[in-house]
Amino acid sequence: YRRSSDLDGIFRSILLETDGHPRAIAILQAFTRCFVQTLQQMQIQMPLKVYFPHNHQSLVMALSRHPSDIPSAVWSKHLSNIVQILKRNVQEAEVTRKAENLFQNWFLLAHFGDWVNIAGQELMRREDEITEMLLWLLMFYYKPSNQSQQEDHLLADVKLLYDHLKVLVNATHLNLEDLQTALTARHLSTEQSPLKDMTNHLIMSFLLCSAGGHGIAKESVQLLTLTGDAADGVFELLGSIAHRQNKQRHKDSTDYQSQMTIKLLQEVLSETQPRTVQPTHTPLKGVFHSFQ
């Protein structure tokens, strides 16, 4: 227990020092995948509560189940369960005004980022009421806050972009002007937007999960004005999605098309956006200092 606690303390310090830089989060998630997989293969099973003692165990168990171990048909139901538990925890943190409680919930979600990627995918494939919950999950991941009024305002802006993208999802023939119209909604794609990274996540999900998106993926990267950490965030997102898809036991034609698009985007980003060692801005800058 002490060793696992110390290790999580190291990850916590790194995330706080880097304001949640995408590469730091990617390292945390890669370690967690290997750790949980190894733990499951041990002859003597150790409960995960030993390693995540500060979190609600129902949330730990839900997040620790890898998407590849669950039929894709019930992903949305599983995500709904995750969001319901997480929302209750965040509301409790809002009532008590304890930033530490808010951080612990975000930190646990950050360990298991595959479910955040699944949420982006499901948003492009579903039409029911769960979309509101999934948008909330993405916003909490990219902009954790215990200020519900600010949260509602930002969520409304994101919903506008999402509605634009949903109109385009089923279109088989798209051009850059169609996507440009969606991006200009409430200026969410600008460098100054507090939700630029969530916007990039939604755009990537759209490009990977829609027939028309595959066709304009290469040209679309130029519209995102990816620099520094924003490019790093997309790099890590694409790498995480590719890793998860490679683990899937059952793939369909959509998955193979998505993998081809991921490879294309990674090549384009490598050519046009050199990765920086010291970013000038980080996705969660201005948020993490309140947890220190």
Side-chain angles (χ1 to χ4, degrees), residues 83-98 101-102 105-106 136 140 144-147 151:
V83 173
Q84 287 175 0
I85 301 172
L86 191 56
K87 263 195 167 183
R88 285 199 300 269
N89 295 348
V90 172
Q91 288 169 353
E92 290 176 8
E94 184 177 344
V95 171
T96 59
R97 296 187 178 278
K98 291 184 178 179
N101 291 349
L102 184 69
N105 282 281
W106 178 88
W136 181 90
F140 178 71
S145 171
N146 58 1
Q147 300 178 23
E151 175 186 295

Side-chain angles (χ1 to χ4, degrees), residues 14 50 59 63 103 149 196 279-280 282 285:
I14 293 173
V50 174
L59 183 59
L63 286 170
F103 176 82
Q149 187 174 7
K196 178 175 175 57
T280 57
T282 48
K285 194 169 183 63

